[in-house]
Amino acid sequence: MNPSTLDIQIKKAKSSKIGQVDFNNLAFGSIFSDHMLVCDFKNGAWEAPKIVPYGPISLQPSAKIFHYGQSIFEGMKAYKDEEDTIWLFRPKDNHARFNISASRMAMPEIPEDYFMEGLETLLNVDKQWIPTTDGSAMYIRPFMFASGEGFHASPADEYKFIICLAPSGAYFSGKVKVLIEQKYSRSANGGVGYAKTGGNYAGQFHPTQLAKEKGYQQVIWTDDHNHENIEEAGAMNIFVRIGDTLITGPTSDRILDGITRKSILQIAEANNIKTEVRTLTVTEVVTAANNGTLKEMFGAGTAAVVSPISAFGYKDQDYELPVVKDGYADLMKKTITDIQYNRVEDSYGWRYRVTQ
Ligand SMILES: Cc1ncc(COP(=O)(O)O)c(C=O)c1O
């Protein structure tokens, strides 16, 4: 953290809830630390950020968030090592992506010092809450929404930027069975698929519920045009290993530029694993499954790092993936988490030390 340039006022909670938390049995993103950072955008400028007790916020019913869904968010994590040093993973990439989302949704950008200094100050205030049990981390949710009023379908004139912290256990869902989507789309050319805006995720709930009713845990999103290109896995980027080549689609208007995705591509390169960033068709994946060259499929994202896929469904048929030894998914997960928890040298320069 640079020397403080912002005057962040801190109003401490009267009492801490930390004693009520079972840190050995943390779920993912369902309990929240004692404090949050709040910052208002009014009269064309960001006001000074404040740290206040975590709690309800008050909004007018006419606030534009409720009507037009002008909202964006990020998902990141803080990790504690054995010396209780706090680390972030590529946090400035989250900040940059936050502003990309803001610009797409006609919202004001947040300056880097508000985001970084605000986050680091908040992490220090609630550092006791950063879990240390194996695989656990502090999930960080920065978000912004239109608090300005009006039933006019136009951008609001006031916004709130908030950061909340959720101590979370290791995210392990086991291997998932996925359905290659043939009807619904999560994004389209010229749309908002590359932005982390709320409606993108709400729009996935219904198709995902339908897939669950059929016995799948997640949807593989395909292109909106003819559902022939493999694009994302739920709210994760997707990797497919055919033979020894690791393939993922290029980022576009429709695909989120995932930080885990780009880290995996760099790790693959450093390990002499051949990668291809190109359009990958469903036909190619089905052919590879049929001729035995399909070795692995996995989702990639901050929450789970990698989420291996055991089988996929396509046009009323299920295709099982083989169990491979020394899989790329395991290698990626280990390499990334070893860097995140400061267990190895970070030759990539991804780890970011939080000043305490
Ligand atoms: C739609 C979507 N794709 C991919 C990702 C993975 O991105 P990251 O690796 O930066 O968490 C996310 C999560 O942020 C997402 O919401």
Side-chain angles (χ1 to χ4, degrees):
M1 188 160 60
N2 297 322
S4 180
T5 47
L6 292 170
D7 180 21
I8 303 180
Q9 291 196 359
I10 302 174
K11 183 177 170 215
K12 285 278 184 85
K14 288 209 179 76
S15 60
S16 175
K17 299 169 298 194
I18 201 163
Q20 300 160 24
V21 179
D22 178 2
F23 278 89
N24 291 316
N25 289 296
L26 287 171
F28 189 84
S30 52
I31 57 159
F32 309 97
S33 72
D34 284 330
H35 299 91
M36 61 184 183
L37 179 106
V38 181
C39 186
D40 285 303
F41 183 89
K42 285 183 182 165
N43 303 315
W46 287 105
E47 297 185 342
K50 302 177 288 240
I51 290 176
V52 296
Y54 176 87
I57 46 178
S58 168
L59 292 171
Q60 297 293 351
S62 54
K64 289 198 177 185
I65 172 63
F66 298 130
H67 307 277
Y68 307 116
Q70 223 189 346
S71 77
I72 59 167
F73 66 96
E74 266 304 318
M76 48 205 297
K77 283 177 176 171
Y79 312 85
K80 236 183 206 177
D81 68 15
E82 284 174 355
E83 263 85 58
D84 280 351
T85 305
I86 305 167
W87 302 94
L88 296 164
F89 184 72
R90 309 186 73 171
K92 294 192 178 174
D93 292 4
N94 291 95
H95 168 254
R97 192 170 63 188
F98 196 73
N99 280 345
I100 289 170
S101 300
S103 155
R104 179 64 184 84
M105 303 310 289
M107 298 166 87
E109 294 189 353
I110 188 95
E112 186 180 285
D113 55 343
Y114 279 56
F115 190 96
M116 291 302 303
E117 219 176 286
L119 173 57
E120 290 186 65
T121 309
L122 179 65
L123 284 169
N124 272 295
V125 170
D126 276 347
K127 66 180 165 208
Q128 266 22 335
W129 283 82
I130 303 176
T132 50
T133 44
D134 201 25
S136 61
M138 182 69 102
Y139 185 74
I140 302 164
R141 172 53 59 86
F143 61 107
M144 192 212 299
F145 58 88
S147 49
E149 292 179 64
F151 291 152
H152 227 267
S154 58
D157 56 357
E158 295 186 357
Y159 296 88
K160 258 188 201 302
F161 171 67
I162 299 183
I163 307 179
C164 292
L165 304 175
S168 294
Y171 192 101
F172 180 71
S173 56
K175 285 196 170 184
V176 293
K177 192 175 160 189
V178 298
L179 179 65
I180 299 188
E181 183 59 56
Q182 290 298 291
K183 177 178 175 189
Y184 295 98
S185 303
R186 79 169 277 281
S187 57
N189 284 332
V192 295
Y194 69 94
K196 281 185 77 76
T197 181
N200 260 347
Y201 298 81
Q204 300 187 35
F205 296 163
H206 177 62
T208 306
Q209 273 170 348
L210 296 178
K212 285 188 174 159
E213 282 164 19
K214 291 187 190 155
Y216 301 94
Q217 284 99 49
Q218 227 175 62
V219 168
I220 299 295
W221 299 106
T222 47
D223 66 283
D224 60 299
H225 190 53
N226 56 13
H227 298 287
E228 181 47 24
N229 303 332
I230 305 267
E231 304 224 306
E232 296 219 51
M236 284 183 280
N237 294 112
I238 184 162
F239 283 86
V240 176
R241 173 181 173 188
I242 298 180
D244 283 335
T245 305
L246 196 54
I247 309 164
T248 192
T251 54
S252 66
D253 281 1
R254 304 185 306 270
I255 299 183
L256 192 92
D257 186 5
I259 294 162
T260 317
R261 173 188 174 279
K262 62 185 180 190
S263 305
I264 287 176
L265 287 171
Q266 264 184 269
I267 294 167
E269 201 175 300
N271 285 276
N272 297 318
I273 293 171
K274 188 166 172 241
T275 58
E276 290 177 5
V277 177
R278 63 164 172 88
T279 302
L280 174 70
T281 65
V282 183
T283 309
E284 193 180 348
V285 174
V286 169
T287 306
N290 284 332
N291 70 21
T293 53
L294 180 65
K295 296 275 171 29
E296 290 179 78
M297 287 172 75
F298 54 89
T302 295
V305 186
V306 299
S307 173
I309 292 170
S310 59
F312 68 88
Y314 176 62
K315 294 200 170 155
D316 296 326
Q317 201 178 322
D318 282 350
Y319 299 81
E320 297 282 329
L321 274 100
V323 178
V324 291
K325 255 189 74 190
D326 301 326
Y328 292 169
D330 289 342
L331 170 72
M332 297 305 164
K333 182 154 190 164
K334 182 167 183 341
T335 308
I336 292 176
T337 51
D338 279 351
I339 292 173
Q340 290 170 333
Y341 288 92
N342 190 25
R343 292 191 286 250
V344 294
E345 278 293 301
D346 172 14
S347 56
Y348 303 94
W350 290 335
R351 203 164 43 219
Y352 178 98
R353 186 188 183 126
V354 174
T355 312
Q356 283 174 264

